[in-house]
Amino acid sequence: MPVILVASQKGGTGKTTTTINVAAELSRLGHDVLIVDCDKSVQSASTWAQDRTQDDSLPRIHAVQKTGNVRETLMDLRGRYDYVIVDAPGHDSQEMRTAMTVADLMIIPVRPSQLDLDTIPGMAELVQTAQDMNPKLKAVALLTQVPTYSSATEEDEAKDFMLDFPQIPRIDGALKIRKAYRDSIPAGRGVIETANTSAKAEVQVLVKEIQSWL
């Protein structure tokens, strides 16, 4: 079954937000989902999954913590769940690199800021190296924390920048800056389990596109 790696060389890009919302939507669709939380310093995804167990109305999403070399663990877990989603630390790490040797799809969250965009060349090189060991690995970039006001130009500028790196194509969908993403976390919910229709639509479009890559 697919292993989806959510990773970046930079913190604050929305990795965990992406992880938990993709997991929530896949779970809503009836899939058995496991999150592998590899960020030992924060463990936000694990905490979210634990908070979720307090509400019996929500479908269960399993979570485990694993650090260091995660290759063997992921190879074992992929046979037990419909989807395994890896939330890697927000920096270049052993967890990210070893997960790349197993993953089917790597999602690289990127904010439309130059500091985030500047990580793409390095990520492209890492992906190419990992594909020597794991030829099935696909990598895509996901724009996150995109401004919602109509006069914003950051999204278009980021899209133009990404065209220079065709080895990491950009997912058509994007996650906008919305309070709903923050508000849903303490209750262990994804935005698809809230009343915010705009946020719901973003995540559902994203998950459909992820499934098309797998």
Side-chain angles (χ1 to χ4, degrees), residues 87-154:
D87 187 19
H91 55 84
D92 192 349
S93 64
Q94 182 184 20
E95 292 83 1
M96 178 180 75
R97 288 178 179 249
T98 55
M100 290 171 74
T101 68
V102 180
D104 299 279
L105 180 67
M106 181 177 184
I107 301 172
I108 305 170
V110 183
R111 292 174 297 185
S113 71
Q114 195 58 50
L115 290 175
D116 280 32
L117 294 170
D118 286 342
T119 67
I120 293 180
M123 292 300 294
E125 291 181 7
L126 281 178
V127 168
Q128 288 181 318
T129 300
Q131 286 170 336
D132 289 338
M133 177 176 282
N134 179 16
K136 73 178 185 300
L137 174 66
K138 300 175 183 177
V140 293
L142 168 67
L143 280 174
T144 60
Q145 302 178 37
V146 175
T148 56
Y149 50 91
S150 59
S151 61
T153 61
E154 294 98 324

Side-chain angles (χ1 to χ4, degrees), residues 2-67:
V3 173
I4 301 170
L5 169 62
V6 184
S8 172
Q9 287 182 318
K10 189 176 182 301
T13 60
K15 291 185 302 77
T16 300
T17 296
T18 301
T19 296
I20 63 180
N21 279 284
V22 169
E25 170 63 0
L26 288 171
S27 182
R28 185 189 70 83
L29 294 172
H31 298 293
D32 194 11
V33 181
L34 172 73
I35 294 174
V36 180
D37 188 345
C38 297
D39 194 341
K40 61 184 175 183
S41 62
V42 183
Q43 300 176 353
S44 298
S46 299
T47 300
W48 174 85
Q50 180 60 39
D51 291 341
R52 186 178 179 86
T53 63
Q54 306 306 308
D55 188 339
D56 292 336
S57 70
L58 300 174
R60 180 74 182 272
I61 294 174
H62 305 275
V64 297
Q65 297 173 5
K66 177 65 178 176
T67 58

Side-chain angles (χ1 to χ4, degrees), residues 192-209:
I192 56 100
E193 295 154 335
T194 71
N196 191 303
T197 56
S198 296
K200 284 183 183 180
E202 288 170 6
V203 171
Q204 289 173 342
V205 167
L206 169 60
V207 168
K208 285 181 181 178
E209 191 163 1

